[in-house]
């Protein structure tokens, strides 16, 4: 089946630093990738839609200058949290969509900002 | 806008009990409906889906029927196992492939032996 990986799985960083999270589709090409954020005991909230070779589309309320998304190839999208603060601590999940309705999710990245 | 509402948990059951997790949706068009499962420490996995009214999705003993008249997609399993303990998310997607999913808040299921 389709596999999506994320790296790192966990990261702890100091306030003010930047963190990059990678999302890769391992055995298929994904024209579109999505970035979600999941708060404890809450649902996944869509942050942005990432299309290969073009600028990401951000959801209302998501700061595009803070959450930089790059979809450089059909198998890789990156999310960079710039100048991270404790309130950015969360579980970040990516998904990749081939040419079907289905989305395949990565295992998530736990970000803790101290 | 579109939304998904699912019953709040946690749901606690004994092994072999019957499971129902309610899910209703609001949508402007004709969405595809999904159930995803998240096991402890893992990412989301697609459990089942239905793309049009009256379709029944099924997998691993779980079933859900797309009911347009009641805008519902309730998840059921006749006999749960301890290994079914997880968080279950109902979700919808409108439009073509590559459209983002809208999730419910998730329901935690805990099954004891």
């Amino acid at each position: 089946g389709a596999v999506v990986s994320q790296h790192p799985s966990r990261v702890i960083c100091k306030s003010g630093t930047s963190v990059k999270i990678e999302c890769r589709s391992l055995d298929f090409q994904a024209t579109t990738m999505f970035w979600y954020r999941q708060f404890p005991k809450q649902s996944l909230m869509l942050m942005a839609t990432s299309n290969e070779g073009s600028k990401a589309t951000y959801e209302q309320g998501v700061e595009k200058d803070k959450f930089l998304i790059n979809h450089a190839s059909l198998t890789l999208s990156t999310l960079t949290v710039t100048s991270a603060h404790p309130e950015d601590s969360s579980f970040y999940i990516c998904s990749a969509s081939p040419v079907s309705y289905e989305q395949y999710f990565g295992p998530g990245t736990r970000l803790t900002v101290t | 806008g579109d939304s998904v509402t699912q019953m709040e948990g946690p749901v606690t059951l004994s092994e072999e009990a019957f499971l129902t997790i309610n899910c209703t949706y609001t949508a402007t068009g004709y969405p595809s409906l999904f159930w995803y499962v998240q096991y402890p420490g893992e990412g989301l996995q697609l459990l089942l889906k239905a793309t049009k009214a009256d379709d029944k999705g099924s997998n691993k003993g779980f079933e859900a029927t797309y009911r347009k008249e009641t805008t519902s997609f309730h998840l059921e399993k006749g006999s749960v196992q301890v290994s079914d303990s997880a968080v279950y998310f109902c979700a919808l997607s409108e439009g073509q492939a590559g459209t983002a999913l809208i999730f419910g808040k998730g329901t935690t299921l805990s099954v004891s032996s």
Side-chain angles (χ1 to χ4, degrees):
Chain A
V3 179
V4 175
S5 69
Q6 275 184 248
H7 178 77
S9 57
R10 292 178 179 270
V11 57
I12 301 172
C13 70
K14 292 186 177 180
S15 188
T17 61
S18 295
V19 174
K20 179 184 284 188
I21 302 170
E22 292 187 349
C23 175
R24 293 180 184 272
S25 56
L26 298 184
D27 50 3
F28 66 98
Q29 293 185 330
T31 306
T32 305
M33 289 184 171
F34 303 93
W35 286 96
Y36 296 86
R37 185 172 177 177
Q38 186 179 26
F39 292 99
K41 299 186 178 182
Q42 293 193 31
S43 186
L44 282 76
M45 300 301 296
L46 179 67
M47 298 176 65
T49 301
S50 170
N51 291 298
E52 186 266 338
S54 62
K55 291 184 178 181
T57 302
Y58 291 82
E59 294 299 298
Q60 192 172 7
V62 178
E63 300 176 60
K64 61 180 181 181
D65 294 330
K66 181 169 186 62
F67 297 99
L68 301 179
I69 291 172
N70 185 287
H71 194 156
S73 75
L74 287 172
T75 60
L76 173 64
S77 177
T78 60
L79 168 68
T80 302
V81 183
T82 63
S83 187
H85 288 94
E87 58 264 31
D88 298 325
S89 299
S90 193
F91 195 53
Y92 293 87
I93 302 174
C94 74
S95 71
S97 180
V99 290
S100 68
Y101 288 102
E102 293 187 25
Q103 290 185 27
Y104 299 95
F105 286 83
T109 297
R110 174 74 61 193
L111 170 63
T112 303
V113 185
T114 61
Chain B
D2 295 354
S3 66
V4 175
T5 302
Q6 59 182 109
M7 63 186 286
E8 296 206 12
V11 174
T12 303
L13 296 173
S14 298
E15 208 166 20
E16 300 183 2
F18 185 86
L19 168 71
T20 299
I21 300 178
N22 290 336
C23 171
T24 57
Y25 67 91
T26 57
T28 53
Y30 301 95
S32 296
L33 302 174
F34 306 83
W35 277 100
Y36 282 84
V37 58
Q38 186 176 33
Y39 297 104
E42 299 184 16
L44 272 74
Q45 300 174 26
L46 178 65
L47 181 60
L48 53 84
K49 68 178 180 180
T51 58
K52 61 183 187 297
D54 299 325
D55 269 3
K56 178 187 282 188
S58 62
N59 185 26
K60 299 181 181 179
F62 291 89
E63 293 184 339
T65 302
Y66 189 144
R67 301 284 188 200
K68 184 170 177 290
E69 62 274 15
T70 54
T71 62
S72 66
F73 193 54
H74 303 322
L75 181 69
E76 297 182 336
K77 186 173 185 181
S79 176
V80 293
Q81 305 299 313
V82 173
S83 57
D84 293 327
S85 298
V87 182
Y88 292 82
F89 292 92
C90 185
L92 70 80
S93 175
E94 288 241 57
Q96 301 302 312
T99 305
L101 290 162
I102 296 171
F103 286 89
K105 289 190 174 182
T107 302
T108 299
L109 170 65
S110 179
V111 180
S112 58
S113 58

